[in-house]
Amino acid sequence: MEETTIAVLVLSISFVVMLLLRFPVSLTLAVSTLLTVMYLDIPLAVVGQRMIQGMSSYSLLTIPFFILAGHIMSEGNLALRIVNLAQLFVGRIRGGLAMVNSVACMFFGNISGSAVADVSSIGSVMIPMMKKKGYDTDYSVGVTVSSAIQGVVVPPSHNLVLYSLAAGGGISITSLFLAGIVPGIILCLSLMLTSYVFAVKRGYAKGDPIDRKDVPKILLDGFMSILTAVIILGGIFSGWFTATESGALACLYAFILTFVIYKDIPYSRMWLILKKTFRTVSMVLFLIAASDAFSWLLAFLKIPAMVTDAMISISDSPFVILLIINLLLLLLGAPMDMAPLILIMTPILLPVVTHLGMDPVHFGIIMMLNLGIGLLTPPVGTVLFVGCAIGKISISEGTKAMMPFFYVLCVVLLVLTYVPGLVMWLPHLVQGTG
């Protein structure tokens, strides 16, 4: 058995064994890389250099700014203001509160860029509100966790930034953000339609009418809340700011809005917010560093080329290979979290889809939605677990209630996979007029 084959076995077996033993993914990546490098008799300093290089990208500054802005807005009453704004538009339709849930999650996703933040903030407002209005608890949780997935697709998702970095930094973050807009709208409309069907079937009532005198305040508060996303996306799309600069401005605006204008929380809470941000960012940075060394080793062992050849040997049909990739990502999304999978699977699968002629931006959106759906599936369904904790129901009840929406999300995934124009229309439009 040749040296490269043994090295691939050392890498894969050590990686799988450590995952099964429940080691943190970042540590698993680092240790399996070190073991393989030691077997190959490569100087260990190379691993350290790759890890440092992985954290040396200017684009990485975007992530802590987005995370900090999301934490600041989550601590205030932003979620309630966004819910009120969504209720103004769709609350009077039958089953309107469920639709409000989906719209509010899309709006909040424009700010937080995180599915877990979505379900934590919107869920804490919407689930009790829906229960109070006669909605079944499990259904309320199912709607909320499914709608929260929009946060990983709609810009400014920091997961899209991770994807760009995992792809070597050559994929435009602006193009990825533009590509996420239409799929986000399609997701929202699909979930709203599903909610309406259930509302008619179960006899859920329309939402309460909103007093006309409250409309101006609701519109103003809602506009002020989503202005964070307008600053980020407007600055990036117009070319006035880089993604990093937009994130910094969004942090400043979020601070002024939460602490100065609305005074939702005292200034003393800022230290807690910073601690939460530092904790999250430190985990993300170590994960990025470890995955960069891991990705370098994958390339050194020519594993992406092996995977491409293996995929092509199964079928020469892009339809079949893309279906296999979707199924693979859905299966991997169940036991593993989203960020590690982006960093691990992007360098492996990107050469496969580019060989098929698929645009890397298109694949990025497909991967985000795919792995986002994985956040709903046990045993590591983070979004599902948080939603069930808020609704105080069991995981099995939450899973059963979520399944109809899960099927809808999978249908949308297939549509976006095989109709690339839905994803690439806006980036091409902007590039054509730029």
Side-chain angles (χ1 to χ4, degrees), residues 141-164:
V141 171
V143 172
T144 306
V145 298
S146 305
S147 299
I149 299 307
Q150 298 170 96
V152 305
V153 177
V154 294
S157 168
H158 59 261
N159 292 297
L160 288 170
V161 180
L162 280 181
Y163 170 74
S164 175

Side-chain angles (χ1 to χ4, degrees), residues 36 63 75 95 111 175 200 218 222 237 269 280 289 315 318 326 352 361 378:
T36 310
I63 295 175
E75 288 288 322
I111 299 166
S175 295
V200 173
I218 290 173
F237 296 159
R269 290 286 292 277
T280 304
S315 172
N326 275 328
V352 179
V361 172

Side-chain angles (χ1 to χ4, degrees), residues 341-400:
L341 278 173
I342 293 172
L343 295 168
I344 295 169
M345 298 307 296
T346 297
I348 294 175
L349 294 178
L350 192 57
V352 179
V353 297
T354 52
H355 178 83
L356 298 175
M358 189 179 201
D359 193 295
V361 172
H362 180 201
F363 180 64
I365 300 302
I366 299 307
M367 177 177 264
M368 292 311 106
L369 178 53
N370 215 315
L371 300 183
I373 293 173
L375 296 174
L376 300 175
T377 52
V380 190
T382 315
V383 170
L384 177 64
F385 291 170
V386 173
C388 290
I390 294 172
K392 298 177 181 177
I393 63 173
S394 67
I395 299 299
S396 59
E397 290 176 305
T399 303
K400 184 178 178 181

